Amino acid sequence: MTRLFLALTLMCVFCLPVSQGKAQDVIIHSNRSVLQQVKDFELKGDAKSGFRQFRRKAEYFGTIYVNRSERLTGSFSNANTKFLADYYARAACHAQSKNPQYCVLYARVLPKDYDPNAQGETLSRDANKEFQEYSRLQNKGRFGAFAASDNGAVGYSWAEASKSAAEKHALKRCAKSARTILRKTPDHLKPAVSSPARQGCRLIHWAD
């Protein structure tokens, strides 16, 4: 019964209706990241090693929460927005804690040129690279589209004969990327990342 429910859930996740809203400007960031430390209390044990690994490997947008009393961390990186990175990292910390109320925001990894007041869609470091490649591949007089999901998945199309074909292929590739990300997600984070609201792909840019 559990497997059947999961299968039906995943089928619904990747068949969500396409957002028909007008795409916002996509903000392109540099590949360089910067660590923004929110708290500076001393870490010990697994929390110390968890933060060390986060600082060394995390890519924007990334966040780490720390439960100081239990000496553990919850982190997430390469999200499409700062707020999603916060949400997933907090969920990871809560899932591992006996007392989740002690989880606090400890640090973030942001693009070095990040402007919190800028208006538009932001993308993860990996998705930024994909968007730049998408832009490079476009042909004048043909159609392309770029889709993204809240869990960091992206998909795009180029040189299509129609706008509808461009949208269809972008969403299909984004859904495939979302499934790949879900498979690689640690078990304690899957309840948050697998939410249909987080997995559903939406179109954020068109080219013609």
Side-chain angles (χ1 to χ4, degrees):
M1 184 67 180
T2 301
R3 289 183 179 179
L4 177 60
F5 175 77
L6 179 59
L8 290 173
T9 300
L10 290 177
M11 287 174 64
C12 292
V13 161
F14 301 113
C15 296
L16 291 175
V18 178
S19 171
Q20 297 298 319
K22 184 178 179 181
Q24 291 181 290
D25 290 336
V26 176
I27 302 171
I28 302 300
H29 290 114
S30 71
N31 289 331
R32 300 186 67 182
S33 300
V34 62
L35 180 73
Q36 179 191 69
Q37 195 154 338
V38 179
K39 302 289 186 182
D40 61 358
F41 54 76
E42 183 181 2
L43 300 177
K44 296 181 179 180
D46 289 343
K48 184 176 182 178
S49 59
F51 176 62
R52 186 185 300 119
Q53 183 177 20
F54 174 82
R55 183 172 55 191
R56 186 173 67 251
K57 295 185 176 182
E59 297 177 341
Y60 69 78
F61 291 88
T63 301
I64 185 167
Y65 270 71
V66 171
N67 186 324
R68 188 180 185 184
S69 62
E70 297 179 35
R71 298 186 180 183
L72 59 82
T73 64
S75 63
F76 194 90
S77 69
N78 218 21
N80 281 335
T81 72
K82 178 181 72 174
F83 307 103
L84 285 169
D86 287 357
Y87 172 80
Y88 290 138
R90 183 171 60 249
C93 187
H94 284 187
Q96 299 174 89
S97 298
K98 294 179 181 178
N99 297 289
Q101 67 270 24
Y102 295 130
C103 290
V104 297
L105 174 62
Y106 194 78
R108 293 187 179 103
V109 169
L110 302 171
K112 191 169 184 179
D113 54 355
Y114 178 68
D115 177 2
N117 298 314
Q119 298 295 313
E121 296 277 353
T122 58
L123 296 170
S124 69
R125 185 174 183 271
D126 286 352
N128 257 278
K129 293 179 181 178
E130 296 286 352
F131 188 83
Q132 291 175 51
E133 179 66 7
Y134 152 80
S135 299
R136 187 186 69 80
L137 290 170
Q138 299 310 314
N139 293 334
K140 190 172 183 179
R142 306 288 284 184
F143 295 86
F146 194 94
S149 75
D150 282 353
N151 77 343
V154 297
Y156 58 88
S157 60
W158 65 97
E160 297 290 347
S162 67
K163 183 178 180 181
S164 61
E167 292 176 346
K168 177 182 177 181
H169 286 100
L171 288 167
K172 182 178 180 180
R173 289 165 181 151
C174 180
K176 182 178 179 180
S177 174
R179 289 192 293 268
T180 299
I181 288 175
L182 182 59
R183 284 197 300 269
K184 295 179 179 180
T185 299
D187 289 342
H188 66 270
L189 256 180
K190 282 185 177 178
V193 177
S194 63
S195 161
R198 304 299 180 192
Q199 288 274 296
C201 292
R202 60 191 176 89
L203 296 164
I204 65 170
H205 193 271
W206 290 264
D208 54 32

